Amino acid sequence: MIDIGGQRVQESLDPVAVRHALRGSVAATPGAVAGAPHLLEPEPREHRGVIRALLVTVDAAALALPALVLDGSLVLVAALVAVTLAVLTASGAHRPRMSLSALDEAPRHLPRLGLGLLLVAPLGYAAGADLGLAVHALCAVPVFVVGRSLSYALVRSARRRSVVGAATLVVGGGRLGMDLLSTLEEHPEYGLRGVGFLSEGSPLDEREPLGRLEDLDLVLDTYGVHKVVVAYGPTREAELVGLVRSAAQRDIEVYIVPRFFDVGLSPHGPDVEDLWGIPLHRVRRAALRRGVWRVKRLIDVVVSGTALTLLAPLMGLLALAVRISSPGPILFRQPRTGQDGEDISILKFRTLRPAAPASAPSQNAVTGSTRSTMHARQIDVEQRKTRIGNVLRRTSLDELPQLWNILRGDMSLVGPRPEERTYAAQFADSVYGYRDRHRLTVGLTGWAQIHGLRGDTSIEERARFDNSYIEHWSLWRDVVILVRTVAAVNRQAFTAVRSATR
């Protein structure tokens, strides 16, 4: 049973009944609730794991097959197969695609096969069989392409017979959205089973929408949707951005039809699918994948734990300096907003004198524009900053206790910087995209900070950079941010020391 508009409706009802329920007219649907419900046919499942296992198995066989006719070390062949499969898997070559063509994909696979050979080449050179290994790899290329062709033929056949298929929702009720729905029905070889569409306007033909954009979450749950295709139309882009991000957070693959694709303005690459002449750009969501997030978390724990151990003497000296500088605690605990709006308490070395009750920021002080709010806060900081606090802030050493927050899991090494709760509530209501920056764990440093967006700078630009970081996240980008952060801190420290000695 599911709840729609306060009414209990059986999940196995005909889609028409669910659509009318979304529109508030279940009772008016003939036979929708009364009597025996119409049971749906067993739906095909996507079976991504099975398809991926098939591709891995056939690729392994194709890479090893030349060993039957060539003389060579079986140990080296096994190493070549294992390493090449690892390269193919890591690069996404085993991800089931919509449009399957071994010849079209061959130019992308050749560098991957070459990299596998390059990684194993030192072993072949040490064994004196480097030439034989190269000949084996060269012979494996056409066998690999043939193996992929046979695998794809098998997958397309399973899709046509509805053995496998992904429930797909189209967002957009314009002509393009209707064409997409028709294409899904007429070409099952793409592995997409259209369940319907969402639209804000009137339908163009007899097909009625499953609901409006605000019904997205309910429709995704009701139909078990695995893929969402967003077709541009009269809907405002700001609404579509929120919808796409909401769907991506639910472990659902989201595809967008690029505007003006019919005049050649469409992207190319491994993230672009061709659906019967209509390009679909897959929205990357690497930062939100559980497996990758575990790797990021492991790195956070190792680096923060090691840094706390190595920097313990320095942090002890800094704590002593803070204690001597002015009355008050050594550490400053500040309530801030973390991932998904959760309340966290971050640690810093205290750099300010305690605020007098009359000078504490009032609620009215944070109700102006974002620029005036940040400026007022900066003035308060300048007035209460201690001498040692000035040095700590200019060198960012006051942030070192946040390594403990990272070790605990409140923060990450890299991510959107956490904002104070009061200010975060204000910015969430006034700054476009600010709420979306909390999709990820907050960080010690971030993409916005290495571009100089810290302190009295634009909140709008910070939100833009934070969301860009989330959408295009990679482990390598985290490395780049950490390296550039260390370089920036060193420059600040050098400047601070030079100013103090003058």
Side-chain angles (χ1 to χ4, degrees):
M1 301 289 286
I2 58 175
D3 184 83
I4 303 178
Q7 305 179 63
R8 304 291 289 176
V9 181
Q10 295 187 33
E11 293 187 61
S12 58
L13 292 178
D14 188 285
V16 176
V18 179
R19 181 176 65 245
H20 280 276
L22 287 168
R23 302 176 65 188
S25 58
V26 172
T29 306
V33 178
H38 170 67
L39 297 178
L40 299 179
E41 295 290 333
E43 298 292 354
R45 304 186 64 180
E46 192 171 7
H47 293 298
R48 282 183 291 184
V50 175
I51 297 177
R52 189 176 288 111
L54 170 66
L55 295 178
V56 171
T57 302
V58 175
D59 287 352
L63 293 172
L65 195 60
L68 296 179
V69 295
L70 297 176
D71 293 330
S73 170
L74 294 181
V75 175
L76 288 177
V77 171
L80 176 64
V81 172
V83 172
T84 305
L85 285 178
V87 171
L88 290 170
T89 301
S91 59
H94 295 130
R95 179 179 65 85
R97 297 176 60 87
M98 296 180 191
S99 51
L100 303 175
S101 173
L103 290 178
D104 289 341
E105 295 178 3
R108 289 199 297 269
H109 292 321
L110 287 177
R112 296 162 176 166
L113 299 178
L115 178 59
L117 173 62
L118 185 63
L119 294 175
V120 181
L123 296 179
Y125 179 79
D130 49 339
L131 181 59
L133 193 64
V135 172
H136 178 101
L138 185 62
C139 293
V141 171
V143 182
F144 177 86
V145 175
V146 172
R148 274 295 176 111
S149 299
L150 295 176
S151 301
Y152 289 165
L154 182 61
V155 173
R156 282 193 295 268
S157 175
R159 288 174 173 176
R160 290 192 183 97
R161 291 185 288 110
S162 297
V163 176
V164 296
T168 305
L169 175 69
V170 175
V171 176
R175 177 53 55 193
L176 180 59
M178 297 299 97
D179 289 344
L180 282 169
L181 277 177
S182 299
T183 300
L184 299 185
E185 182 178 354
E186 297 168 2
H187 297 278
E189 66 271 16
Y190 290 111
L192 306 179
R193 177 180 56 83
V195 299
F197 67 101
L198 300 181
S199 177
E200 291 295 308
S202 302
L204 297 181
D205 51 31
E206 69 281 358
R207 290 173 289 189
E208 296 186 7
L210 296 176
R212 305 174 68 85
L213 295 186
E214 59 264 27
D215 300 319
L216 174 68
D217 290 336
L218 180 58
V219 172
L220 295 180
D221 292 335
T222 303
Y223 291 95
V225 173
H226 292 116
K227 299 181 187 294
V228 172
V229 178
V230 180
Y232 60 82
T235 306
R236 292 185 304 172
E237 290 188 2
E239 298 179 12
L240 289 178
V241 169
L243 181 145
V244 169
R245 288 174 176 170
S246 175
Q249 283 185 278
R250 297 169 59 98
D251 198 27
I252 291 174
E253 289 195 341
V254 180
Y255 296 83
I256 299 177
V257 180
R259 291 182 181 272
F260 303 111
F261 73 89
D262 39 7
V263 293
L265 298 180
S266 60
H268 299 278
D271 288 328
V272 179
E273 302 275 6
D274 183 86
L275 189 69
W276 202 245
I278 302 176
L280 303 181
H281 190 278
R282 185 169 66 99
V283 177
R284 297 180 71 251
R285 50 186 175 87
L288 304 174
R289 294 182 183 274
R290 294 180 181 177
V292 178
W293 185 250
R294 292 191 185 100
V295 176
K296 182 176 171 70
R297 176 60 188 150
L298 176 62
I299 295 174
D300 287 341
V301 171
V302 172
V303 173
S304 62
T306 304
L308 282 171
T309 302
L310 297 178
L311 297 176
L314 174 61
M315 295 177 68
L317 292 176
L318 294 178
L320 179 62
V322 172
R323 190 75 180 96
I324 296 175
S325 66
S326 63
I330 295 175
L331 293 179
F332 173 61
R333 295 178 179 271
Q334 187 176 51
R336 297 212 175 186
T337 301
Q339 184 179 17
D340 296 328
E342 293 183 0
D343 293 334
I344 62 173
S345 180
I346 69 168
L347 298 175
K348 283 187 175 186
F349 283 123
R350 182 176 56 82
T351 59
L352 306 179
R353 296 181 181 86
S359 63
S362 63
Q363 181 63 29
N364 293 332
V366 293
T367 56
S369 66
T370 57
R371 177 66 70 177
S372 63
T373 298
M374 298 303 296
H375 185 64
R377 181 167 63 174
Q378 190 67 21
I379 292 176
D380 178 66
V381 168
E382 292 297 331
Q383 291 175 344
R384 297 193 293 119
K385 190 162 48 177
T386 64
R387 293 185 62 182
I388 186 63
N390 183 49
V391 175
L392 293 179
R393 280 176 168 266
R394 295 183 66 178
T395 57
S396 296
L397 292 174
D398 62 319
E399 310 279 359
L400 287 180
Q402 291 173 41
L403 291 169
W404 176 249
N405 289 110
I406 296 173
L407 189 63
R408 287 186 52 190
D410 298 329
M411 299 174 61
S412 177
L413 287 170
V414 181
R417 282 294 293 165
E419 189 58 78
E420 297 179 36
R421 292 179 189 171
T422 305
Y423 296 115
Q426 176 198 356
F427 299 152
D429 294 331
S430 60
V431 177
Y432 171 74
Y434 190 85
R435 295 182 189 275
D436 293 331
R437 69 188 290 274
H438 292 119
R439 291 173 288 165
L440 212 60
T441 303
V442 295
L444 181 65
T445 184
W447 190 237
Q449 282 64 47
I450 65 172
H451 285 86
L453 296 173
R454 53 182 300 176
D456 187 13
T457 55
S458 170
I459 297 297
E460 290 82 359
E461 292 180 358
R462 290 195 211 177
R464 183 191 312 151
F465 272 84
D466 288 337
N467 284 313
S468 174
Y469 165 77
I470 296 173
E471 304 294 354
H472 302 92
W473 178 86
S474 67
L475 283 175
W476 179 247
R477 173 163 287 197
D478 276 4
V479 172
V480 170
I481 292 174
L482 290 173
V483 171
R484 292 180 60 176
T485 298
V486 172
V489 169
N490 287 336
R491 285 196 301 268
Q492 292 174 357
F494 177 76
T495 303
V497 171
R498 187 173 60 179
S499 300
T501 56
R502 286 181 178 177

